Amino acid sequence: MENQTVTAKKRIFSGIQPTGNLTLGNYIGALRNFKLLEDEYDCLYSIVDLHALTVRQNPAELRKACLRTMAIFLASGLDPEKNIIYFQSQVAAHAELAWILDCFTYMGELSRMTQFKDKSAKHADNINCGLFAYPVLMAADILLYMTDLVPIGADQKQHLEITRDIAERFNALYGDVFVMPEAYIPKVGARVMSLQEPTRKMSKSDPEETYIAILDKPDVIRRKLRRAVTDSENRVLFDPENRPGVSNLMSIMGALTGRGMDDISAEYDGRGYGAFKDAVADCVISVLEPIQNEYDRISADKAYLESVMVSGRERASAIAYRTMLKVRKKVGLAALKL
Ligand code: TRP
């Protein structure tokens, strides 16, 4: 395929919502793995500000949140030369391709999306067309870059499936235009659960006390961990089914230190939950504090952030443009003459 011969590396695309605080779960499950991918793959990380508009946003807040998200990405160590980090809305082709793909997507399949059902129940006063067509914009994000692999959690699996269905439908009509994307399952990865309801995934859209934000200050981290739900048995034993709370704290420690569960248990079992929670807090703080310092440095450097933003936009646009030329031609839109 034309776009693929440009690079021998496989391409990875991920979209990140700019709203809400990125959490320790995002760091452990996504961000720090992204750093490990940057040499082996050709990676694009899009801050999906158009998707954010599917629910009402305060404009000034949204603009800040977008920049904050970009700064956190950079502060986590992602190299902006090796990776393309950019704002979705700054590459107009996302919206263009989404429109075209809308015409190849059925109302029926979109109404079966569980995220749409959940979100429309949550925002019953604003069930807009954007919310309905959200998965099509996501399909456009992915297909625009001839993406091979998409790192996603279980909650986005259905969206990747519909992306593949749309791509297949389009390819069947017009020949092989789009690359068929697949889910990327990271080699190392721990699922971080809510501190208050440890059977649910830690989520930035849940209440404050259920998650640790990447930018939470040390005293806040310590307080949230001290208040994390455990059980009454006071044993540091890994058993996610029967002791989800303490097991979650153990796997956070394990993920951040590389230590095994038996090893952690051998050191902390018998010393009480208080001591163990403090030790987990020490670990989390020692990982997040350097990221926060780097974040402060980067956020103060507006010129640098802007240069990353512009270069990301230009590099993403160049790839997107080639895809759009092809798609426009296939569906019969007038050729773009420069
Ligand atoms: N829907 C994703 C989420 O809520 C974000 C997203 C948008 C995305 N476009 C994407 C993820 C493309 C992967 C690929 O998490």
Side-chain angles (χ1 to χ4, degrees), residues 138-153:
M138 179 160 160
D141 297 343
I142 296 168
L143 300 176
L144 198 48
Y145 299 95
M146 303 294 168
T147 302
D148 298 292
L149 297 166
V150 186
I152 43 161

mmCIF file of all heavy atoms in Angstrom, residues 138-153:
data_model
loop_
_atom_site.group_PDB
_atom_site.id
_atom_site.type_symbol
_atom_site.label_atom_id
_atom_site.label_comp_id
_atom_site.label_asym_id
_atom_site.label_seq_id
_atom_site.Cartn_x
_atom_site.Cartn_y
_atom_site.Cartn_z
ATOM 1 N N MET A 138 -13.665 8.158 15.408
ATOM 2 C CA MET A 138 -12.551 7.332 15.888
ATOM 3 C C MET A 138 -12.024 6.428 14.767
ATOM 4 O O MET A 138 -10.821 6.257 14.609
ATOM 5 C CB MET A 138 -13.009 6.514 17.100
ATOM 6 C CG MET A 138 -11.939 5.612 17.658
ATOM 7 S SD MET A 138 -12.313 5.143 19.372
ATOM 8 C CE MET A 138 -11.292 3.682 19.520
ATOM 9 N N ALA A 139 -12.929 5.901 13.961
ATOM 10 C CA ALA A 139 -12.509 5.084 12.820
ATOM 11 C C ALA A 139 -11.687 5.938 11.856
ATOM 12 O O ALA A 139 -10.647 5.505 11.342
ATOM 13 C CB ALA A 139 -13.733 4.507 12.108
ATOM 14 N N ALA A 140 -12.138 7.176 11.647
ATOM 15 C CA ALA A 140 -11.400 8.081 10.760
ATOM 16 C C ALA A 140 -9.998 8.332 11.316
ATOM 17 O O ALA A 140 -9.010 8.307 10.568
ATOM 18 C CB ALA A 140 -12.161 9.397 10.590
ATOM 19 N N ASP A 141 -9.899 8.560 12.623
ATOM 20 C CA ASP A 141 -8.581 8.786 13.251
ATOM 21 C C ASP A 141 -7.624 7.655 12.876
ATOM 22 O O ASP A 141 -6.488 7.876 12.468
ATOM 23 C CB ASP A 141 -8.675 8.750 14.792
ATOM 24 C CG ASP A 141 -9.550 9.840 15.390
ATOM 25 O OD1 ASP A 141 -9.843 10.824 14.690
ATOM 26 O OD2 ASP A 141 -9.934 9.685 16.579
ATOM 27 N N ILE A 142 -8.127 6.459 13.050
ATOM 28 C CA ILE A 142 -7.282 5.273 12.887
ATOM 29 C C ILE A 142 -6.957 5.025 11.410
ATOM 30 O O ILE A 142 -5.812 4.808 11.032
ATOM 31 C CB ILE A 142 -7.998 4.041 13.495
ATOM 32 C CG1 ILE A 142 -8.159 4.237 15.014
ATOM 33 C CG2 ILE A 142 -7.260 2.752 13.180
ATOM 34 C CD1 ILE A 142 -9.088 3.228 15.683
ATOM 35 N N LEU A 143 -7.985 5.106 10.566
ATOM 36 C CA LEU A 143 -7.809 4.729 9.160
ATOM 37 C C LEU A 143 -7.028 5.779 8.374
ATOM 38 O O LEU A 143 -6.340 5.460 7.403
ATOM 39 C CB LEU A 143 -9.172 4.463 8.512
ATOM 40 C CG LEU A 143 -9.973 3.332 9.183
ATOM 41 C CD1 LEU A 143 -11.352 3.188 8.536
ATOM 42 C CD2 LEU A 143 -9.214 1.997 9.123
ATOM 43 N N LEU A 144 -7.124 7.006 8.809
ATOM 44 C CA LEU A 144 -6.424 8.114 8.141
ATOM 45 C C LEU A 144 -4.923 7.879 8.062
ATOM 46 O O LEU A 144 -4.257 8.348 7.146
ATOM 47 C CB LEU A 144 -6.714 9.380 8.953
ATOM 48 C CG LEU A 144 -6.500 10.761 8.373
ATOM 49 C CD1 LEU A 144 -7.111 10.916 6.995
ATOM 50 C CD2 LEU A 144 -7.132 11.784 9.330
ATOM 51 N N TYR A 145 -4.382 7.171 9.032
ATOM 52 C CA TYR A 145 -2.925 7.004 9.098
ATOM 53 C C TYR A 145 -2.464 5.609 8.702
ATOM 54 O O TYR A 145 -1.331 5.234 8.965
ATOM 55 C CB TYR A 145 -2.424 7.388 10.504
ATOM 56 C CG TYR A 145 -2.741 8.836 10.789
ATOM 57 C CD1 TYR A 145 -3.890 9.209 11.472
ATOM 58 C CD2 TYR A 145 -1.934 9.843 10.265
ATOM 59 C CE1 TYR A 145 -4.211 10.543 11.673
ATOM 60 C CE2 TYR A 145 -2.243 11.186 10.454
ATOM 61 C CZ TYR A 145 -3.388 11.522 11.154
ATOM 62 O OH TYR A 145 -3.705 12.843 11.332
ATOM 63 N N MET A 146 -3.345 4.837 8.078
ATOM 64 C CA MET A 146 -2.988 3.480 7.672
ATOM 65 C C MET A 146 -2.385 2.722 8.858
ATOM 66 O O MET A 146 -1.341 2.076 8.767
ATOM 67 C CB MET A 146 -2.006 3.493 6.493
ATOM 68 C CG MET A 146 -2.523 4.248 5.285
ATOM 69 S SD MET A 146 -3.969 3.406 4.563
ATOM 70 C CE MET A 146 -4.580 4.651 3.435
ATOM 71 N N THR A 147 -3.087 2.840 9.976
ATOM 72 C CA THR A 147 -2.620 2.282 11.237
ATOM 73 C C THR A 147 -2.635 0.755 11.244
ATOM 74 O O THR A 147 -3.618 0.149 10.823
ATOM 75 C CB THR A 147 -3.549 2.793 12.365
ATOM 76 O OG1 THR A 147 -3.516 4.220 12.348
ATOM 77 C CG2 THR A 147 -3.139 2.259 13.718
ATOM 78 N N ASP A 148 -1.549 0.172 11.725
ATOM 79 C CA ASP A 148 -1.508 -1.280 11.889
ATOM 80 C C ASP A 148 -2.041 -1.688 13.258
ATOM 81 O O ASP A 148 -2.749 -2.674 13.394
ATOM 82 C CB ASP A 148 -0.065 -1.792 11.773
ATOM 83 C CG ASP A 148 0.522 -1.503 10.408
ATOM 84 O OD1 ASP A 148 0.049 -2.118 9.439
ATOM 85 O OD2 ASP A 148 1.439 -0.660 10.300
ATOM 86 N N LEU A 149 -1.626 -0.927 14.279
ATOM 87 C CA LEU A 149 -1.929 -1.355 15.644
ATOM 88 C C LEU A 149 -2.491 -0.212 16.484
ATOM 89 O O LEU A 149 -2.014 0.924 16.416
ATOM 90 C CB LEU A 149 -0.641 -1.851 16.316
ATOM 91 C CG LEU A 149 0.002 -3.081 15.666
ATOM 92 C CD1 LEU A 149 1.424 -3.269 16.175
ATOM 93 C CD2 LEU A 149 -0.835 -4.330 15.944
ATOM 94 N N VAL A 150 -3.506 -0.550 17.278
ATOM 95 C CA VAL A 150 -4.141 0.443 18.137
ATOM 96 C C VAL A 150 -4.101 -0.073 19.576
ATOM 97 O O VAL A 150 -4.749 -1.072 19.889
ATOM 98 C CB VAL A 150 -5.614 0.667 17.722
ATOM 99 C CG1 VAL A 150 -6.231 1.807 18.516
ATOM 100 C CG2 VAL A 150 -5.726 0.941 16.233
ATOM 101 N N PRO A 151 -3.345 0.584 20.455
ATOM 102 C CA PRO A 151 -3.344 0.149 21.855
ATOM 103 C C PRO A 151 -4.645 0.600 22.511
ATOM 104 O O PRO A 151 -4.905 1.799 22.590
ATOM 105 C CB PRO A 151 -2.149 0.897 22.481
ATOM 106 C CG PRO A 151 -1.626 1.835 21.442
ATOM 107 C CD PRO A 151 -2.496 1.759 20.230
ATOM 108 N N ILE A 152 -5.464 -0.329 22.918
ATOM 109 C CA ILE A 152 -6.739 0.062 23.529
ATOM 110 C C ILE A 152 -7.092 -0.841 24.696
ATOM 111 O O ILE A 152 -6.693 -1.994 24.742
ATOM 112 C CB ILE A 152 -7.930 -0.004 22.547
ATOM 113 C CG1 ILE A 152 -7.868 -1.275 21.712
ATOM 114 C CG2 ILE A 152 -8.049 1.243 21.707
ATOM 115 C CD1 ILE A 152 -9.186 -1.618 21.078
ATOM 116 N N GLY A 153 -7.846 -0.277 25.578
ATOM 117 C CA GLY A 153 -8.365 -1.061 26.702
ATOM 118 C C GLY A 153 -9.654 -1.746 26.277
ATOM 119 O O GLY A 153 -10.188 -1.501 25.189
#
